[in-house]
């Protein structure tokens, strides 16, 4: 019995991330998320969450995605501090800033792309969801509705991906005001893909980092 407890402790310690692990993991995950956003932007589709809201506003106004992204994320930070603590909040703030910077760098280096909207919606959301999963596993997030979804999962047992999906579908519906019905449909498909991947892969107790 004693040996089992020691083995479990060693397993848990072996899974803990070092500071270097977190720096590399959060940076790489933020980069993936930004590439996903760039693909969605190139296909002129939206997605859910603050990223989708920022894309939606950037299509309807002269403001860039990066500016709207930062401004829209700020109101959720006090909630993150209150419910998740300073460690999680600061990590999330770093991720938010990195996504803003990486999105600009990606656009500068790859230039404007004309890609199929369905490709941009599906592939962009697949890449972005992998980035968000990476952030979750390094005790971070992209803030915004990610925080709401994580709190709902931890406090009420609701799957974060499903909670996010409900929020995201409401945001995607807002695309009717700036895009064609087909673009809205592609955006909804992309949002579903994003949250389906999150729901399957992010479960309480599945990963300890």
């Amino acid at each position: 019995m004693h040996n089992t407890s020691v083995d479990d402790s060693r397993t848990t310690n072996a899974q803990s991330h070092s500071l270097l692990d977190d720096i590399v993991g959060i940076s790489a995950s933020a980069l993936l998320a930004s590439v996903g956003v760039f693909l969605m932007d190139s296909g002129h589709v939206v997605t859910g969450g603050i990223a989708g809201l920022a894309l939606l506003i950037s299509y309807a106004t002269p403001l860039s995605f990066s500016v709207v992204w930062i401004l829209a994320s700020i109101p959720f930070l006090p909630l993150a501090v209150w419910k998740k603590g300073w460690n999680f909040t600061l990590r999330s703030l770093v991720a938010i800033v990195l996504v803003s910077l990486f999105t600009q760098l990606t656009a500068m280096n790859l230039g404007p792309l004309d890609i199929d909207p369905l490709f941009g919606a599906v592939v962009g959301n697949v890449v972005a969801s992998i980035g968000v999963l990476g952030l979750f596993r390094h005790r971070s997030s992209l803030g915004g509705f990610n925080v709401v979804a994580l709190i709902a999962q931890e406090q009420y047992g609701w799957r974060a991906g499903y909670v996010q999906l409900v929020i995201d579908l409401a945001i995607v519906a807002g695309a009717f005001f700036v895009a064609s019905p087909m673009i809205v449909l592609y955006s909804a498909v992309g949002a579903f893909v994003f949250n389906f991947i999150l729901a399957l892969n992010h479960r309480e107790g599945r990963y300890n980092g």
Side-chain angles (χ1 to χ4, degrees):
M1 194 71 167
H2 176 70
N3 289 338
T4 301
S5 177
V6 171
D7 289 343
D8 289 343
S9 176
R10 286 175 179 172
T11 300
T12 302
N13 289 337
Q15 292 176 336
S16 298
H17 293 134
S18 67
L19 177 60
L20 180 60
D21 291 337
D22 285 334
I23 291 173
V24 174
I26 291 174
S27 298
S29 298
L31 178 59
L32 281 175
S34 68
V35 171
V37 169
F38 174 75
L39 290 173
M40 287 181 252
D41 191 20
S42 297
H44 304 291
V45 296
V46 300
T47 186
I50 293 298
L53 190 61
L55 283 170
L56 194 61
I57 294 174
S58 70
Y59 295 155
T61 70
L63 297 174
S64 69
F65 166 84
S66 295
V67 171
V68 178
W69 166 259
I70 294 290
L71 293 177
S73 297
I74 290 174
F76 290 89
L77 295 178
L79 176 63
V81 173
W82 178 41
K83 290 295 187 179
K84 299 289 290 178
W86 278 105
N87 189 297
F88 174 87
T89 303
L90 291 175
R91 288 165 182 261
S92 298
L93 181 58
V94 168
I96 290 167
V97 173
L98 286 177
V99 168
S100 178
L101 293 174
F102 287 154
T103 301
Q104 294 184 59
L105 287 174
T106 302
M108 288 170 56
N109 283 277
L110 296 183
L113 298 180
D114 184 18
I115 64 175
D116 181 78
L118 183 58
F119 178 87
V122 173
V123 178
N125 276 284
V126 168
V127 175
S129 68
I130 295 172
V132 170
L133 278 172
L135 291 174
F136 285 174
R137 292 182 174 183
H138 287 272
R139 292 168 291 166
S140 179
S141 75
L142 289 182
F145 299 116
N146 280 175
V147 177
V148 176
L150 284 173
I151 291 172
Q153 175 165 299
E154 293 172 1
Q155 295 198 353
Y156 303 105
W158 303 344
R159 290 277 181 83
Y162 295 149
V163 174
Q164 188 83 43
L165 178 59
V166 174
I167 298 171
D168 290 354
L169 289 178
I171 293 173
V172 169
F176 276 112
F177 295 101
V178 297
S180 68
M182 191 58 68
I183 292 295
V184 176
L185 176 61
Y186 291 159
S187 299
V189 170
F192 174 80
V193 168
F194 180 95
N195 289 288
F196 184 67
I197 292 174
L198 251 60
L200 284 181
N201 291 280
H202 185 67
R203 302 181 188 180
E204 192 68 26
R206 168 168 282 191
Y207 183 93
N208 296 313

